[in-house]
Amino acid sequence: YDDVSNDQRQVIYQQRDELMASEDISEMIGALREEIVANVIAEYIPAQSLEEQWDITGLEQALLADFNASLPIRRWLDEDDSLNEDSLRKRILAQITADYEAKGTQWRQQGVEIKLVEKQVMLQILDQRWKEHLATMDHLRQGIHLRAYAQKQPKQEYKREAFELFQELLYAIKREVIRLLSRVQIERPESVEETERRRREEQ
């Protein structure tokens, strides 16, 4: 049991060390965004499916919820007969990426360095999710002996379930990082002054 935990710990700590040593993780964030966007799209546009099988309304809602991207995909399809599954995927990713880059430019103009925000967000989510995963692994270990009653090998079941949980953890970290970075906004400096002015007026 300890070997499994130690193997997972080594993977997470290596990721954390690489993050700490990196000045700029924007390329990593870009690759994660591409993976997560592709997976979200696949939930509503199954690979090699007919357009009648596509859930465009569901996809538009998911892109808004996950990436803060309000994309008129139905209109795109109505206006452009040449759009297929592949070109639509590329167009969605390009738009979400362009929106994110525009936000980065806007932040820099307001004195916020998006590279630092990306690194802080990823470290914070990695640490938080890892703590939650350790608690889940603890519960799994405590209950694993019950598998013997179901004619199963507890050690083998523990390895299998621990592996599945770890894969879920790694994906959850990626998705949450991209989701948070896509949705996070910074307050304009004057909004602090506005808040203070309102507070004085209310007194």
Side-chain angles (χ1 to χ4, degrees):
Y1 297 125
D2 288 340
D3 287 348
V4 173
S5 294
N6 286 335
D7 288 346
Q8 293 186 358
R9 186 175 284 107
Q10 281 179 359
V11 172
I12 292 295
Y13 282 17
Q14 184 181 350
Q15 282 193 5
R16 203 178 190 288
D17 288 345
E18 287 171 4
L19 269 174
M20 292 296 288
S22 300
E23 292 276 318
D24 182 353
I25 62 165
S26 55
E27 277 189 25
M28 183 198 301
I29 296 296
L32 294 185
R33 185 185 306 108
E34 191 169 339
E35 178 186 346
I36 300 302
V37 169
N39 286 345
V40 170
I41 294 171
E43 291 174 29
Y44 300 89
I45 301 181
Q48 299 171 338
S49 58
L50 300 171
E51 193 173 323
E52 301 85 74
Q53 298 171 285
W54 298 359
D55 178 6
I56 298 303
T57 303
L59 177 58
E60 288 178 341
Q61 290 169 350
L63 293 173
L64 182 60
D66 277 5
F67 310 107
N68 202 29
S70 183
L71 305 184
I73 299 169
R74 171 56 62 200
R75 200 184 77 215
W76 291 352
L77 291 166
D78 291 342
E79 291 174 354
D80 187 352
D81 291 337
S82 70
L83 268 183
N84 57 30
E85 181 191 324
D86 190 47
S87 56
L88 181 60
R89 284 172 179 276
K90 287 175 180 169
R91 185 166 178 180
I92 290 169
L93 177 62
Q95 188 61 59
I96 289 173
T97 303
D99 289 349
Y100 184 75
E101 287 172 354
K103 178 162 71 172
T105 302
Q106 183 187 13
W107 281 14
R108 279 188 287 275
Q109 288 168 352
Q110 296 184 34
V112 177
E113 190 47 71
I114 199 162
K115 287 190 294 188
L116 293 176
V117 176
E118 287 173 340
K119 187 171 172 178
Q120 286 169 354
V121 164
M122 187 137 191
L123 280 168
Q124 189 177 346
I125 290 172
L126 185 72
D127 289 347
Q128 180 61 36
R129 285 287 189 167
W130 174 241
K131 280 182 200 163
E132 292 167 6
H133 177 75
L134 288 176
T136 305
M137 291 282 285
D138 199 39
H139 289 309
L140 175 63
R141 187 187 299 209
Q142 287 172 17
I144 203 70
H145 65 280
L146 297 173
R147 303 296 193 281
Y149 295 119
Q151 307 299 311
K152 292 181 177 178
Q153 294 288 332
K155 280 187 180 177
Q156 290 305 113
E157 285 297 296
Y158 179 78
K159 278 186 177 179
R160 184 184 62 77
E161 291 187 39
F163 177 77
E164 288 174 4
L165 285 170
F166 193 59
Q167 295 306 306
E168 289 169 16
L169 165 73
L170 295 177
Y171 185 73
I173 290 168
K174 295 176 187 177
R175 184 158 183 166
E176 196 172 335
V177 166
I178 297 305
R179 196 170 191 271
L180 188 56
L181 285 171
S182 298
R183 298 183 60 79
V184 70
Q185 300 292 336
I186 56 167
E187 290 192 356
R188 300 188 316 280
E190 61 266 27
S191 66
V192 178
E193 294 163 16
E194 286 166 11
T195 305
E196 181 62 24
R197 179 175 53 76
R198 274 200 305 273
R199 190 181 65 79
R200 284 199 303 270
E201 286 171 358
E202 286 166 4
Q203 284 177 346

